[in-house]
mmCIF file of all heavy atoms in Angstrom:
data_model
loop_
_atom_site.group_PDB
_atom_site.id
_atom_site.type_symbol
_atom_site.label_atom_id
_atom_site.label_comp_id
_atom_site.label_asym_id
_atom_site.label_seq_id
_atom_site.Cartn_x
_atom_site.Cartn_y
_atom_site.Cartn_z
ATOM 1 N N LEU A 161 -61.186 10.224 14.600
ATOM 2 C CA LEU A 161 -62.336 11.008 14.152
ATOM 3 C C LEU A 161 -61.984 12.489 14.027
ATOM 4 O O LEU A 161 -62.416 13.168 13.090
ATOM 5 C CB LEU A 161 -63.508 10.835 15.121
ATOM 6 C CG LEU A 161 -64.230 9.489 15.086
ATOM 7 C CD1 LEU A 161 -65.245 9.410 16.230
ATOM 8 C CD2 LEU A 161 -64.929 9.281 13.754
ATOM 9 N N GLY A 162 -61.213 12.994 14.988
ATOM 10 C CA GLY A 162 -60.810 14.397 14.927
ATOM 11 C C GLY A 162 -59.994 14.704 13.687
ATOM 12 O O GLY A 162 -60.191 15.736 13.043
ATOM 13 N N ARG A 163 -59.084 13.795 13.348
ATOM 14 C CA ARG A 163 -58.296 13.994 12.131
ATOM 15 C C ARG A 163 -59.197 13.964 10.902
ATOM 16 O O ARG A 163 -59.043 14.777 9.989
ATOM 17 C CB ARG A 163 -57.219 12.912 12.028
ATOM 18 C CG ARG A 163 -56.307 13.108 10.820
ATOM 19 C CD ARG A 163 -55.181 12.091 10.807
ATOM 20 N NE ARG A 163 -55.645 10.750 10.505
ATOM 21 C CZ ARG A 163 -55.536 9.707 11.322
ATOM 22 N NH1 ARG A 163 -54.979 9.867 12.511
ATOM 23 N NH2 ARG A 163 -55.962 8.515 10.979
ATOM 24 N N TRP A 164 -60.154 13.016 10.887
ATOM 25 C CA TRP A 164 -61.054 12.900 9.748
ATOM 26 C C TRP A 164 -61.913 14.152 9.591
ATOM 27 O O TRP A 164 -62.262 14.548 8.474
ATOM 28 C CB TRP A 164 -61.939 11.666 9.925
ATOM 29 C CG TRP A 164 -62.706 11.319 8.694
ATOM 30 C CD1 TRP A 164 -64.027 11.550 8.450
ATOM 31 C CD2 TRP A 164 -62.191 10.687 7.507
ATOM 32 N NE1 TRP A 164 -64.383 11.096 7.201
ATOM 33 C CE2 TRP A 164 -63.272 10.565 6.598
ATOM 34 C CE3 TRP A 164 -60.934 10.210 7.137
ATOM 35 C CZ2 TRP A 164 -63.106 9.992 5.337
ATOM 36 C CZ3 TRP A 164 -60.789 9.645 5.893
ATOM 37 C CH2 TRP A 164 -61.864 9.541 5.011
ATOM 38 N N MET A 165 -62.247 14.792 10.720
ATOM 39 C CA MET A 165 -63.069 16.000 10.691
ATOM 40 C C MET A 165 -62.215 17.260 10.502
ATOM 41 O O MET A 165 -62.696 18.365 10.656
ATOM 42 C CB MET A 165 -63.894 16.120 11.976
ATOM 43 C CG MET A 165 -64.820 14.942 12.237
ATOM 44 S SD MET A 165 -66.071 14.715 10.975
ATOM 45 C CE MET A 165 -67.229 16.004 11.410
ATOM 46 N N ARG A 166 -60.929 17.070 10.175
ATOM 47 C CA ARG A 166 -59.996 18.167 9.885
ATOM 48 C C ARG A 166 -59.813 19.107 11.082
ATOM 49 O O ARG A 166 -59.761 20.330 10.950
ATOM 50 C CB ARG A 166 -60.449 18.963 8.672
ATOM 51 C CG ARG A 166 -60.559 18.151 7.383
ATOM 52 C CD ARG A 166 -60.954 19.035 6.228
ATOM 53 N NE ARG A 166 -61.067 18.288 4.975
ATOM 54 C CZ ARG A 166 -61.417 18.834 3.814
ATOM 55 N NH1 ARG A 166 -61.679 20.129 3.755
ATOM 56 N NH2 ARG A 166 -61.508 18.103 2.732
ATOM 57 N N MET A 167 -59.711 18.512 12.261
ATOM 58 C CA MET A 167 -59.535 19.286 13.488
ATOM 59 C C MET A 167 -58.105 19.139 13.990
ATOM 60 O O MET A 167 -57.415 18.168 13.684
ATOM 61 C CB MET A 167 -60.533 18.815 14.549
ATOM 62 C CG MET A 167 -61.983 18.882 14.090
ATOM 63 S SD MET A 167 -63.166 18.208 15.271
ATOM 64 C CE MET A 167 -63.314 19.589 16.410
ATOM 65 N N PHE A 168 -57.660 20.127 14.790
ATOM 66 C CA PHE A 168 -56.349 20.066 15.424
ATOM 67 C C PHE A 168 -56.518 19.473 16.826
ATOM 68 O O PHE A 168 -56.890 20.182 17.768
ATOM 69 C CB PHE A 168 -55.719 21.451 15.510
ATOM 70 C CG PHE A 168 -55.405 22.067 14.173
ATOM 71 C CD1 PHE A 168 -56.153 23.127 13.684
ATOM 72 C CD2 PHE A 168 -54.376 21.571 13.394
ATOM 73 C CE1 PHE A 168 -55.874 23.692 12.453
ATOM 74 C CE2 PHE A 168 -54.079 22.129 12.155
ATOM 75 C CZ PHE A 168 -54.834 23.184 11.680
ATOM 76 N N THR A 169 -56.264 18.180 16.963
ATOM 77 C CA THR A 169 -56.430 17.506 18.249
ATOM 78 C C THR A 169 -55.185 17.710 19.098
ATOM 79 O O THR A 169 -54.067 17.419 18.649
ATOM 80 C CB THR A 169 -56.679 16.006 18.047
ATOM 81 O OG1 THR A 169 -57.755 15.823 17.121
ATOM 82 C CG2 THR A 169 -57.045 15.338 19.370
ATOM 83 N N ILE A 170 -55.360 18.209 20.306
ATOM 84 C CA ILE A 170 -54.206 18.496 21.164
ATOM 85 C C ILE A 170 -53.534 17.194 21.577
ATOM 86 O O ILE A 170 -54.162 16.135 21.619
ATOM 87 C CB ILE A 170 -54.600 19.327 22.393
ATOM 88 C CG1 ILE A 170 -55.518 18.525 23.324
ATOM 89 C CG2 ILE A 170 -55.256 20.644 21.983
ATOM 90 C CD1 ILE A 170 -55.761 19.197 24.666
ATOM 91 N N PRO A 171 -52.228 17.224 21.882
ATOM 92 C CA PRO A 171 -51.510 15.998 22.235
ATOM 93 C C PRO A 171 -52.006 15.341 23.518
ATOM 94 O O PRO A 171 -52.067 14.111 23.619
ATOM 95 C CB PRO A 171 -50.057 16.474 22.387
ATOM 96 C CG PRO A 171 -49.972 17.723 21.575
ATOM 97 C CD PRO A 171 -51.323 18.367 21.717
ATOM 98 N N ASN A 172 -52.350 16.129 24.522
ATOM 99 C CA ASN A 172 -52.755 15.567 25.812
ATOM 100 C C ASN A 172 -54.156 14.965 25.725
ATOM 101 O O ASN A 172 -54.963 15.337 24.860
ATOM 102 C CB ASN A 172 -52.721 16.652 26.892
ATOM 103 C CG ASN A 172 -52.351 16.094 28.253
ATOM 104 O OD1 ASN A 172 -52.414 14.901 28.480
ATOM 105 N ND2 ASN A 172 -51.968 16.986 29.152
ATOM 106 N N GLN A 173 -54.476 14.049 26.634
ATOM 107 C CA GLN A 173 -55.791 13.417 26.652
ATOM 108 C C GLN A 173 -56.049 12.869 28.050
ATOM 109 O O GLN A 173 -55.142 12.794 28.880
ATOM 110 C CB GLN A 173 -55.860 12.283 25.630
ATOM 111 C CG GLN A 173 -54.870 11.162 25.865
ATOM 112 C CD GLN A 173 -54.834 10.152 24.719
ATOM 113 O OE1 GLN A 173 -55.132 10.472 23.579
ATOM 114 N NE2 GLN A 173 -54.471 8.906 25.036
ATOM 115 N N SER A 174 -57.293 12.487 28.307
ATOM 116 C CA SER A 174 -57.664 11.984 29.628
ATOM 117 C C SER A 174 -58.416 10.668 29.502
ATOM 118 O O SER A 174 -59.316 10.536 28.662
ATOM 119 C CB SER A 174 -58.550 13.010 30.356
ATOM 120 O OG SER A 174 -59.155 12.442 31.503
ATOM 121 N N SER A 175 -58.047 9.698 30.335
ATOM 122 C CA SER A 175 -58.782 8.437 30.439
ATOM 123 C C SER A 175 -58.995 8.157 31.918
ATOM 124 O O SER A 175 -58.019 8.052 32.677
ATOM 125 C CB SER A 175 -58.013 7.295 29.785
ATOM 126 O OG SER A 175 -58.675 6.049 29.992
ATOM 127 N N VAL A 176 -60.258 8.045 32.322
ATOM 128 C CA VAL A 176 -60.590 7.876 33.738
ATOM 129 C C VAL A 176 -61.059 6.445 33.983
ATOM 130 O O VAL A 176 -62.166 6.071 33.575
ATOM 131 C CB VAL A 176 -61.684 8.877 34.173
ATOM 132 C CG1 VAL A 176 -62.032 8.681 35.645
ATOM 133 C CG2 VAL A 176 -61.233 10.308 33.910
ATOM 134 N N PRO A 177 -60.234 5.610 34.644
ATOM 135 C CA PRO A 177 -60.645 4.233 34.938
ATOM 136 C C PRO A 177 -61.597 4.182 36.133
ATOM 137 O O PRO A 177 -61.602 5.084 36.970
ATOM 138 C CB PRO A 177 -59.318 3.548 35.266
ATOM 139 C CG PRO A 177 -58.474 4.639 35.846
ATOM 140 C CD PRO A 177 -58.871 5.894 35.118
ATOM 141 N N LYS A 178 -62.402 3.125 36.184
ATOM 142 C CA LYS A 178 -63.358 2.952 37.290
ATOM 143 C C LYS A 178 -64.023 4.282 37.624
ATOM 144 O O LYS A 178 -63.998 4.750 38.761
ATOM 145 C CB LYS A 178 -62.648 2.378 38.511
ATOM 146 C CG LYS A 178 -62.062 0.999 38.278
ATOM 147 C CD LYS A 178 -61.395 0.460 39.542
ATOM 148 C CE LYS A 178 -60.789 -0.915 39.299
ATOM 149 N NZ LYS A 178 -60.105 -1.447 40.497
ATOM 150 N N ALA A 179 -64.630 4.865 36.602
ATOM 151 C CA ALA A 179 -65.168 6.225 36.739
ATOM 152 C C ALA A 179 -66.171 6.342 37.880
ATOM 153 O O ALA A 179 -66.288 7.406 38.501
ATOM 154 C CB ALA A 179 -65.810 6.658 35.427
ATOM 155 N N TRP A 180 -66.857 5.271 38.168
ATOM 156 C CA TRP A 180 -67.864 5.299 39.237
ATOM 157 C C TRP A 180 -67.246 5.529 40.616
ATOM 158 O O TRP A 180 -67.944 5.907 41.561
ATOM 159 C CB TRP A 180 -68.666 3.996 39.234
ATOM 160 C CG TRP A 180 -67.824 2.749 39.237
ATOM 161 C CD1 TRP A 180 -67.233 2.148 38.170
ATOM 162 C CD2 TRP A 180 -67.457 1.974 40.381
ATOM 163 N NE1 TRP A 180 -66.522 1.029 38.565
ATOM 164 C CE2 TRP A 180 -66.646 0.897 39.916
ATOM 165 C CE3 TRP A 180 -67.734 2.066 41.744
ATOM 166 C CZ2 TRP A 180 -66.112 -0.068 40.767
ATOM 167 C CZ3 TRP A 180 -67.210 1.102 42.598
ATOM 168 C CH2 TRP A 180 -66.410 0.051 42.101
ATOM 169 N N THR A 181 -65.916 5.346 40.738
ATOM 170 C CA THR A 181 -65.240 5.600 42.010
ATOM 171 C C THR A 181 -64.636 6.997 42.071
ATOM 172 O O THR A 181 -64.123 7.392 43.127
ATOM 173 C CB THR A 181 -64.113 4.578 42.246
ATOM 174 O OG1 THR A 181 -63.066 4.790 41.271
ATOM 175 C CG2 THR A 181 -64.633 3.150 42.125
ATOM 176 N N GLU A 182 -64.664 7.733 40.974
ATOM 177 C CA GLU A 182 -63.943 9.002 40.894
ATOM 178 C C GLU A 182 -64.820 10.231 41.107
ATOM 179 O O GLU A 182 -64.317 11.356 41.063
ATOM 180 C CB GLU A 182 -63.236 9.117 39.534
ATOM 181 C CG GLU A 182 -62.148 8.080 39.312
ATOM 182 C CD GLU A 182 -61.025 8.178 40.326
ATOM 183 O OE1 GLU A 182 -60.713 9.314 40.767
ATOM 184 O OE2 GLU A 182 -60.474 7.128 40.686
ATOM 185 N N PHE A 183 -66.127 10.016 41.328
ATOM 186 C CA PHE A 183 -67.049 11.134 41.541
ATOM 187 C C PHE A 183 -67.758 10.979 42.881
ATOM 188 O O PHE A 183 -68.145 9.867 43.262
ATOM 189 C CB PHE A 183 -68.066 11.217 40.396
ATOM 190 C CG PHE A 183 -67.465 11.623 39.080
ATOM 191 C CD1 PHE A 183 -66.880 10.683 38.243
ATOM 192 C CD2 PHE A 183 -67.459 12.959 38.690
ATOM 193 C CE1 PHE A 183 -66.306 11.050 37.038
ATOM 194 C CE2 PHE A 183 -66.891 13.346 37.489
ATOM 195 C CZ PHE A 183 -66.302 12.386 36.662
ATOM 196 N N ASP A 184 -67.941 12.105 43.574
ATOM 197 C CA ASP A 184 -68.579 12.048 44.896
ATOM 198 C C ASP A 184 -70.096 12.138 44.777
ATOM 199 O O ASP A 184 -70.657 12.134 43.673
ATOM 200 C CB ASP A 184 -68.016 13.154 45.803
ATOM 201 C CG ASP A 184 -68.293 14.565 45.267
ATOM 202 O OD1 ASP A 184 -69.260 14.750 44.498
ATOM 203 O OD2 ASP A 184 -67.536 15.485 45.630
ATOM 204 N N ASP A 185 -70.768 12.233 45.909
ATOM 205 C CA ASP A 185 -72.231 12.250 45.926
ATOM 206 C C ASP A 185 -72.813 13.518 45.308
ATOM 207 O O ASP A 185 -73.998 13.555 44.985
ATOM 208 C CB ASP A 185 -72.744 12.099 47.371
ATOM 209 C CG ASP A 185 -72.447 10.722 47.948
ATOM 210 O OD1 ASP A 185 -72.236 9.784 47.149
ATOM 211 O OD2 ASP A 185 -72.410 10.587 49.192
ATOM 212 N N ASN A 186 -71.982 14.541 45.165
ATOM 213 C CA ASN A 186 -72.421 15.781 44.517
ATOM 214 C C ASN A 186 -72.064 15.810 43.035
ATOM 215 O O ASN A 186 -72.139 16.865 42.392
ATOM 216 C CB ASN A 186 -71.786 16.991 45.218
ATOM 217 C CG ASN A 186 -72.356 17.195 46.621
ATOM 218 O OD1 ASN A 186 -73.564 17.115 46.821
ATOM 219 N ND2 ASN A 186 -71.473 17.434 47.581
ATOM 220 N N ASP A 187 -71.664 14.649 42.511
ATOM 221 C CA ASP A 187 -71.319 14.502 41.083
ATOM 222 C C ASP A 187 -70.103 15.327 40.685
ATOM 223 O O ASP A 187 -69.977 15.726 39.524
ATOM 224 C CB ASP A 187 -72.521 14.865 40.190
ATOM 225 C CG ASP A 187 -73.671 13.890 40.349
ATOM 226 O OD1 ASP A 187 -73.422 12.747 40.779
ATOM 227 O OD2 ASP A 187 -74.818 14.265 40.061
#
Side-chain angles (χ1 to χ4, degrees):
L161 287 173
R163 183 175 71 241
W164 191 257
M165 301 298 283
R166 300 183 180 179
M167 304 175 80
F168 295 108
T169 308
I170 66 170
N172 212 343
Q173 61 188 27
S174 167
S175 175
V176 179
K178 297 181 181 179
W180 51 278
T181 67
E182 296 299 326
F183 291 85
D184 62 24
D185 292 339
N186 291 316
D187 294 337

